[in-house]
Structure formats: C-alpha cells, structure tokens
Amino acid sequence: MPTPKNTKPSSRKPLAYGAVIVVAAGLLGFASYKATAPDNSSSNTSTTPAAEVSADPQAGIYPELAKLARRDAGDKLAVGRADAPVVLIEYADFKCGYCGKFARDTEPELIKEYVEDGTLRIEWRNFPIFGEESENAARGAWAAGQQDRFWEFHAAAYAEGAKEKGFAKDRVKTLAQEAGVKDLARFMKDLDGEAARAAVAKDQEQAYGIGATSTPSFLINGRPIAGAQPKEAFTQAIETAAEQAKTSGKAGAGTTGDPAEGSGGSEDSEESAK
C-alpha cells in the first residue's frame, strides 16, 4: 500500500483514551481494505461485508469511537440535528473517486431518508491523502463552510468530471463561485489561513488515529465501515444504531441544531486518485 503524502509519522499512531488504545478500526479492515480504481467500473461492485450486523447489536461497535462525534450545533461541516440518535462520521478526500460516488449516489438518499426525519446526523472530516491538491480542496471546503456553503462546495467538488479538472487554487476558487460563496476575497484568505490548516490537520490526525488509511472511511455510532459500501450496508447500520439508541435511552446528547441542506470502494494511494 503506497504511503499517502502530507503525513507525519506521529500522526499514524492510534488514539489513546486513558488506558484504552483504539485499534478497532484497523481490526475491521480500514488498514487492510483493498480497492480497485473506481474509474474502471461503472458501478460499485464491492461486496465486502464491512458493515455486517450480527445478532448481537453491540457486535462491531466501539464506544470510544462513538465519542468522536462532535455534536456541535454550530459545526459548518455537518448536516442534521445535533441530538440525533445516530451520527455518521465520514472521513473523505475530494480527489477520491469512491468518495464522489458515495456523495452522488448514496449520501443524498441517506439525507432524505434519515437526516430529514431527525434520525441521522452526518459529520464531515477532511482526510486529504492524495497530496497538495487534496489539501487545497479540503481547505477550500472548510473556507466555504465559514460562509455557510460547505455542502454546496461539496456537491460542486464531487460533481461528475470535477475531479478530473484538478484542485489547483484557481480551480478551487471556481468551485467556490459555483457553490455560491459570496465573499471570494475572504474565501481565498481563509483558504490559506492558519485556521483552515489547523482544522484540516485535526481531522486528518483523527482519521489516522483510528487506523483509517483509505477513503472513504466511516463511523456510525462507533461502528467502523470501510469504503463506499452499497446503500444497504449503511441503512442496516443506521437502523440498528437507531434501535439500539431507542432501547438504551441513549439518544444523542447536545444542543439541537437545524439540519443544513445536504446535497464499496475506497482509495488509499495517490496514484488511484489520478
């Protein structure tokens, strides 16, 4: 597996929660997940049962990973109620073809079916692993979010053919225009600002910390899912998590936020992003 760029050696250590070392994600296949280039297939042909739910609703769920949900009603890079019973955390790269497929084909349906009724919250984490242009797009997404246009930027960056045009800074500015970002001067300043770099680095460190080495990678209430799995894998995990939250009385804690407008495979090398 090629080593992604923009990675500090220390950033790939697992996260520690007191005496608990979180290696669950690696055990379930984040690190070993293999994918073919998405451009070579017209459909998602992955059959990896990464989200298989056993008779035990707690099997494959790691409470320490569930705590990574921020549930911040002011989070510009999230959609759904802050107190939703289920939180899906998505670690993704805008140069990842499988991430784009998930964004276009699966995510809108999950938003319609589960976010709009208050069951699900989706929290985005920038996980640029394909070099400088990935970093540009990640910081651009964050900068668009500061003007409440993250999801519009997300849609523009993941539109068919967008990846092939690259994410040089001029191109990222064009995507911001397409997304309806009003103050482009502020956007470009934010894009190159320390706050954007710090926010992206924080997300990236978190992803590597749970053992993720490919995109997209997901957590659903502490259940790791590797790759852009078929929609059924997500619906099964979401519904199981919602039922578990209902029976345990542990629906999401936090300040209620209004849902924002929303819009298997995985990739783990710079070559597959081209």
Side-chain angles (χ1 to χ4, degrees), residues 10-208:
S10 62
S11 69
R12 303 189 72 169
K13 294 179 181 179
L15 291 173
Y17 297 91
V20 179
I21 303 297
V22 179
V23 295
L27 292 174
L28 287 186
F30 275 159
S32 62
Y33 190 87
K34 295 182 179 180
T36 56
D39 295 333
N40 293 336
S41 173
S42 59
S43 62
N44 184 355
T45 58
S46 172
T47 57
T48 305
E52 183 176 356
V53 179
S54 72
D56 178 2
Q58 288 294 85
I61 297 175
Y62 299 84
E64 297 301 330
L65 295 180
K67 293 178 182 178
L68 295 177
R70 293 170 183 161
R71 294 188 177 278
D72 178 1
D75 188 346
K76 303 289 190 179
L77 278 60
V79 57
R81 296 173 64 93
D83 63 350
V86 183
V87 177
L88 181 156
I89 303 174
E90 176 183 0
Y91 301 90
D93 186 312
F94 287 103
K95 282 182 69 69
C96 164
Y98 276 124
C99 299
K101 184 169 181 60
F102 173 79
R104 292 188 298 272
D105 299 347
T106 303
E107 196 162 35
E109 295 187 23
L110 297 182
I111 289 173
K112 182 177 181 179
E113 293 179 28
Y114 298 106
V115 173
E116 291 181 2
D117 74 0
T119 300
L120 179 68
R121 174 178 176 82
I122 299 175
E123 296 186 356
W124 170 272
R125 303 287 189 270
N126 277 302
F127 188 25
I129 62 174
F130 298 129
E132 182 180 355
E133 288 199 356
S134 289
E135 180 76 15
N136 288 343
R139 287 189 277 112
W142 183 90
Q146 304 316 294
Q147 298 188 50
D148 298 316
R149 286 293 184 272
F150 167 75
W151 290 102
E152 290 82 359
F153 183 96
H154 175 279
Y158 277 137
E160 288 282 3
K163 177 172 74 78
E164 287 69 24
K165 295 179 181 178
F167 295 108
K169 287 186 180 179
D170 285 348
R171 174 61 183 156
V172 172
K173 182 178 180 180
T174 297
L175 290 172
Q177 289 178 301
E178 293 177 10
V181 173
K182 294 185 181 300
D183 190 340
L184 291 176
R186 175 190 170 190
F187 172 83
M188 295 304 291
K189 182 178 179 180
D190 287 344
L191 172 68
D192 284 327
E194 287 304 314
R197 295 178 190 277
V200 170
K202 181 179 179 180
D203 287 354
Q204 189 178 50
E205 290 278 343
Q206 185 181 99
Y208 280 128

Side-chain angles (χ1 to χ4, degrees), residues 230-259:
K231 178 190 171 186
E232 291 71 24
F234 292 95
T235 58
Q236 185 182 28
I238 291 167
E239 291 175 7
T240 298
E243 185 62 28
Q244 181 66 16
K246 183 187 300 183
T247 58
S248 67
K250 293 182 179 180
T255 304
T256 301
D258 293 331

